Amino acid sequence: MAKHETPLLDQLESGPWPSFVSDLKQQAEVRAKNEAGVEFQIPQDAVEDLLGVLELSFKHGRTHWKHGGIVGVFGYGGGVIGRYCDQPKLFPGVEHFHTMRVAQPCGKYYKTSYLRELTKLWDFRGSGVTNMHGATGDIIFLGTTTPQLEEIFYTLTHDLNQDLGGSGSNLRTPADCLGSSRCQYACYDSNALCHFLTNEYQDELHRPAFPYKFKFKMDACPNGCVASIARSDMSFIGTWRDAIKVDQDAVNKYVENDPGYPANAGAHKGKDWGPFDIEKEVLALCPTKCMKFENKTLSIDNANCTRCMHCINTMPRALRIGDDRGCSILVGAKAPILDGAQMGSLLVPFVEVNPENDYEAITEVIESIWDWWMEEGKNRERLGELIMRQGFQKLLEVTGIDPQPQHVAYPRTNPYIFWKEDEVDGGWERDVVEYRKHHLR
């Protein structure tokens, strides 16, 4: 018999998809039976009370998690998020129910033995409820009490060689895709860069000194499996500077519908999409129309290619990324908190990703931006909002990056950069300035 009636939550189990409510009920039952004989260090009915307080929030239409109360572990300003219930008499098991963020490994590669140790620790000193993974990327431990925080931290750092992630106004745990460890399209080693940045900026990760949160995310190719362009203050997206490599024989195999060359790498097995049509499925879908297929030859105007990856994904055995590889750096993406959601803006069109000099070209950009943001940023103002407030040209000035044609707000239409009158000599340049002054501002 459940401790709390949850008719509203029960509705979330009725659809065709897996439900977190079912998972929580299962965990509550496991803790109630405790067949493993675990000596729980937090209330045994914590998960049951978690369901109860959520039901009450649904009933009242407002949260019952209250503000106030800062908790953490010694020496760290982040990694622990305080959670307190405003109905402790009704739900004593979640009177305090803190969240801990555990830094994920690069590429999220785990050994099963490691995961067993994590879950064993959390069953013992927490609720046993986890989130794999949070939006930032961390392993999320959901629900423990204040006295257990230092105990958990000690076990993580001393026994599991594991660090906490970031929370608060600091650098959040850097996140990356699988990169060159698994992906044929990787333009740089995202795992290595993620590992370097995580270690290089430990102070920024654990001791909040920023106006607000700051996220690094690394996509090793333009496919963007981590969606860094939409989810990080600084995004590193793999790219290349030379031409796409074309195997014309393989192109014609696709065109001839050779069974050994399925379009989209055979991703649509089980459904007959009809014969492959290169004009309809590749050329017409190219965003810049930089490709043509004539006389059994595919030609690409690489100067106008935006590296969208569509043609390569569709015909992976015929087209390959170039050899002159590196990454683009974009800045300013965030979720809709103050000024709405923002996508990242291109700052550095291409930079070599060189571990031999400790990624010096990348860290110079990072630190010049941080110096500006920490000096000029308002409280709880993300980098993207500072860029909106002071202008992209100001960002170029503080980073020492010269304006380039790629610095546009909206591709091919709206330049960010307006030349100052004292920067041009006259003639047509002055006419451009006057036109922009009266027509574009």
Side-chain angles (χ1 to χ4, degrees):
M1 180 69 180
K3 180 179 176 182
H4 304 289
E5 296 297 324
T6 56
L8 297 176
L9 285 179
D10 294 346
Q11 295 179 37
L12 298 179
E13 298 182 277
S14 61
W17 309 109
S19 170
F20 76 94
V21 175
S22 300
D23 292 342
L24 288 175
K25 287 181 177 179
Q26 182 183 27
Q27 177 66 5
E29 185 177 352
V30 167
R31 288 179 69 88
K33 290 182 179 179
N34 191 17
E35 294 175 348
V38 177
E39 296 180 5
F40 298 122
Q41 300 301 297
I42 75 168
Q44 189 166 344
D45 57 358
V47 181
E48 186 69 46
D49 279 355
L50 178 64
L51 288 163
V53 73
L54 183 55
E55 177 73 18
L56 190 66
S57 293
F58 277 22
K59 181 179 178 181
H60 291 168
R62 59 184 175 84
T63 183
H64 283 287
W65 298 105
K66 66 179 182 178
H67 292 284
I70 296 176
V71 290
V73 295
F74 186 73
Y76 279 31
V80 179
I81 304 160
R83 296 280 185 260
Y84 299 90
C85 178
D86 68 2
Q87 300 291 326
K89 291 183 179 179
L90 288 176
F91 310 106
V94 292
E95 181 176 358
H96 31 142
F97 199 73
H98 309 313
T99 290
M100 300 187 76
R101 288 181 174 165
V102 181
Q104 80 278 7
C106 297
K108 298 185 177 68
Y109 284 109
Y110 300 105
K111 291 182 179 179
T112 54
S113 58
Y114 169 78
L115 291 175
R116 288 193 182 98
E117 289 298 321
L118 279 185
T119 54
K120 180 180 176 182
L121 168 63
W122 195 237
D123 280 335
F124 179 52
R125 296 197 179 275
S127 67
V129 178
T130 60
N131 178 357
M132 303 287 283
H133 297 82
T136 297
D138 304 280
I139 306 161
I140 306 297
F141 281 173
L142 289 164
T144 192
T145 59
T146 304
Q148 297 304 314
L149 296 175
E150 287 290 351
E151 304 288 349
I152 295 165
F153 181 58
Y154 183 91
T155 302
L156 285 172
T157 56
H158 288 73
D159 298 341
L160 301 182
N161 194 29
Q162 173 65 57
D163 200 2
L164 295 183
S167 69
S169 296
N170 62 2
L171 174 65
R172 300 301 178 84
T173 318
D176 62 337
C177 65
L178 295 174
S180 51
S181 66
R182 290 290 299 274
C183 181
Q184 62 184 328
Y185 302 138
C187 298
Y188 71 95
D189 189 341
S190 58
N191 298 160
L193 179 59
C194 184
H195 184 261
F196 171 81
L197 294 177
T198 303
N199 286 290
E200 179 72 6
Y201 296 118
Q202 282 291 295
D203 275 356
E204 289 76 10
L205 182 61
H206 292 309
R207 296 167 183 88
F210 291 160
Y212 201 19
K213 66 181 79 169
F214 194 97
K215 297 179 180 179
F216 292 137
K217 293 190 190 298
M218 282 134 272
D219 282 311
C221 84
N223 274 324
C225 294
V226 176
S228 65
I229 192 173
R231 302 172 57 236
S232 60
D233 300 87
M234 185 168 284
S235 167
F236 303 90
I237 302 179
T239 188
W240 62 94
R241 286 191 292 193
D242 53 346
I244 293 175
K245 294 184 284 188
V246 183
D247 181 338
Q248 299 292 353
D249 290 337
V251 170
N252 284 282
K253 292 287 187 181
Y254 281 105
V255 172
E256 295 161 4
N257 285 277
D258 187 305
Y261 290 75
N264 298 298
H268 301 305
K269 287 181 180 177
K271 184 170 183 177
D272 184 8
W273 292 88
F276 175 69
D277 184 340
I278 191 171
E279 179 66 40
K280 178 181 178 182
E281 299 181 45
V282 178
L283 308 188
L285 297 179
C286 174
T288 60
K289 303 297 185 288
C290 70
M291 310 176 74
K292 63 180 180 179
F293 183 70
E294 295 177 346
N295 301 320
K296 295 190 174 183
T297 300
L298 178 69
S299 55
I300 304 173
D301 177 9
N302 282 279
N304 277 305
C305 172
T306 58
R307 315 293 193 268
C308 77
M309 294 293 291
H310 174 71
C311 61
I312 296 175
N313 292 333
T314 305
M315 302 189 296
R317 296 183 65 180
L319 303 175
R320 295 281 181 175
I321 63 176
D323 291 322
D324 187 7
R325 302 172 186 175
C327 78
S328 299
I329 301 178
L330 294 87
V331 293
K334 68 177 190 66
I337 297 177
L338 292 181
D339 292 320
Q342 294 173 214
M343 298 282 275
S345 297
L346 182 65
L347 176 63
V348 182
F350 185 90
V351 61
E352 293 183 353
V353 183
N354 187 2
E356 293 182 3
N357 66 355
D358 287 339
Y359 305 97
E360 183 178 350
I362 290 174
T363 57
E364 284 180 355
V365 175
I366 292 170
E367 291 166 21
S368 63
I369 289 175
W370 281 351
D371 288 344
W372 173 54
W373 182 48
M374 286 191 285
E375 181 69 26
E376 299 289 340
K378 298 178 181 179
N379 185 39
R380 296 179 70 83
E381 182 176 52
R382 295 286 288 272
L383 174 63
E385 291 156 349
L386 175 61
I387 294 170
M388 287 183 67
R389 182 163 60 85
Q390 293 200 356
F392 195 85
Q393 189 151 346
K394 179 65 174 178
L395 173 66
L396 295 180
E397 291 172 7
V398 301
T399 55
I401 295 172
D402 294 330
Q404 300 177 58
Q406 295 95 329
H407 290 146
V408 296
Y410 306 102
R412 299 172 182 271
T413 59
N414 182 17
Y416 273 122
I417 309 306
F418 297 97
W419 299 103
K420 299 173 184 175
E421 243 180 278
D422 58 2
E423 293 176 335
V424 294
D425 297 322
W428 70 268
E429 295 99 336
R430 189 173 298 280
D431 292 337
V432 169
V433 170
E434 289 300 314
Y435 177 84
R436 286 176 170 167
K437 184 184 298 182
H438 295 294
H439 296 281
L440 295 184
R441 288 195 174 183

